[in-house]
């Protein structure tokens, strides 16, 4: 999730829906969304790819 402040004082929130595996969902449940986002940044997967490999999730 990304948040940006606009010139008119409003804030825009950009949310991506990304399919995740069962293991990744369990990781989110245990470690939280922010930790999962950190893993996405670390692995830098192609989020638009139809067959994205599962994240390595080595950070936790």
């Amino acid at each position: 999730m990304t948040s940006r402040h606009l010139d008119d004082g409003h804030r825009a929130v950009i949310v991506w829906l990304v399919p995740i595996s069962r293991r990744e969902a369990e990781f989110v449940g245990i470690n939280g969304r922010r930790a999962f986002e950190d893993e996405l940044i670390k692995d830098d997967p192609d989020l638009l790819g139809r067959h994205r490999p599962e994240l390595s999730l080595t950070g936790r």
Side-chain angles (χ1 to χ4, degrees), residues 3-60:
S3 175
R4 298 282 186 239
H5 291 280
L6 305 177
D7 292 338
D8 62 4
H10 288 90
R11 191 173 116 193
V13 177
I14 302 165
V15 179
W16 284 56
L17 296 178
V18 177
I20 61 175
S21 69
R22 176 171 282 137
R23 184 170 159 261
E24 291 169 338
E26 290 170 356
F27 179 89
V28 172
I30 294 167
N31 299 289
R33 177 186 55 84
R34 184 74 66 191
F36 183 70
E37 289 177 3
D38 291 344
E39 293 293 320
L40 283 171
I41 291 167
K42 186 179 74 179
D43 278 14
D44 192 26
D46 177 8
L47 296 177
L48 300 178
R50 289 184 59 203
H51 303 288
R52 174 184 69 82
E54 188 173 72
L55 297 177
S56 60
L57 302 176
T58 58
R60 307 273 174 181

